Amino acid sequence: MRPCPSFPGYSASADGRVVSHRRGERIRGQRGGKRSLIDPSYRRELRTSATPKGHLTVSIMVAPGRARPVGVHQLVADAFHGPCPVGQQVRHLDGDPTNNVPCNLAYGTALDNAADRTRHGRYASGAHHQNAKLTPADVADLLRRRAAGEKVKALAAYFRVSVPTVEAVIYGKSYRAESVELRQIEVSR
């Protein structure tokens, strides 16, 4: 169990458990209420909940009477790897958002994290995205039609998508189709 330097009053274990050292104490006075005192001898394991993407979170106190959810991976990385550098985030090296052991966590940029998701097959893009407008068959048809010389605006109208969507398909930014070769079309003026 190691303390989390960026989150006073909390510790994380090597197996991904988070413990609070905050003890609530009643305040006598006109308003009453509770105040949180940090007591290193006090230990209460926090319950986790899962986000829609599968990351485990715990609720921690950030100000008197105010709590917010924080990822278990953030707390474990903070305890075992130190505070998160500015502009970086915690990465899961194996792609499993529930595996919060220190050796599976590393700091990296958002670009590193996106590359990890792509490598692990967890990045929803093209036809696999929940808001996809084109199927793989549509993409192959679109690329064949474009290679035959059909105009981008006509393709956008035919497939009922925007011109930028058609351009993203043509230039390989999204909807990458296998076994379709794309050649540059010479435009005569």
Side-chain angles (χ1 to χ4, degrees):
M1 198 57 72
R2 290 190 182 177
C4 302
S6 302
F7 303 94
Y10 297 94
S11 294
S13 69
D15 62 354
R17 291 178 295 123
V18 178
V19 170
S20 172
H21 302 288
R22 292 178 171 266
R23 183 190 302 265
E25 181 180 273
R26 284 262 177 233
I27 300 171
R28 298 217 185 267
Q30 195 173 16
R31 291 182 123 179
K34 275 188 169 184
R35 128 178 109 178
S36 183
L37 297 174
I38 298 174
D39 179 3
S41 64
Y42 177 75
R43 291 175 171 246
R44 180 175 56 88
E45 188 172 337
L46 300 179
R47 282 188 302 228
T48 61
S49 59
T51 66
K53 291 186 177 183
H55 290 91
L56 299 177
T57 63
V58 292
S59 183
I60 67 168
M61 297 297 290
V62 292
R66 297 202 179 237
R68 76 174 176 97
V70 173
V72 171
H73 59 288
Q74 292 171 299
L75 293 160
V76 172
D78 188 61
F80 287 88
H81 302 301
C84 184
V86 175
Q88 296 203 351
Q89 50 192 232
V90 181
R91 301 165 41 210
H92 286 89
L93 300 177
D94 70 351
D96 180 3
T98 61
N99 185 3
N100 295 311
V101 296
C103 63
N104 185 46
L105 303 175
Y107 290 124
T109 64
L111 205 55
D112 296 332
N113 215 354
D116 288 345
R117 286 193 306 275
T118 302
R119 189 174 65 248
H120 298 303
R122 297 180 60 90
Y123 194 75
S125 66
H128 302 292
H129 193 274
Q130 66 268 17
N131 295 328
K133 304 282 190 275
L134 300 171
T135 66
D138 290 339
V139 171
D141 187 28
L142 184 149
L143 291 172
R144 274 193 294 279
R145 287 170 168 238
R146 179 64 181 152
E150 200 166 328
K151 301 279 185 200
V152 171
K153 272 188 170 180
L155 290 170
Y158 179 81
F159 289 102
R160 295 185 179 149
V161 295
S162 66
V163 169
T165 299
V166 172
E167 290 172 340
V169 170
I170 291 169
Y171 298 122
K173 301 225 183 252
S174 66
Y175 293 102
R176 295 188 184 171
E178 297 87 29
S179 72
V180 177
E181 185 181 322
L182 183 66
R183 288 170 281 152
Q184 184 90 19
I185 299 172
E186 297 280 332
V187 179
S188 59
R189 291 185 182 191

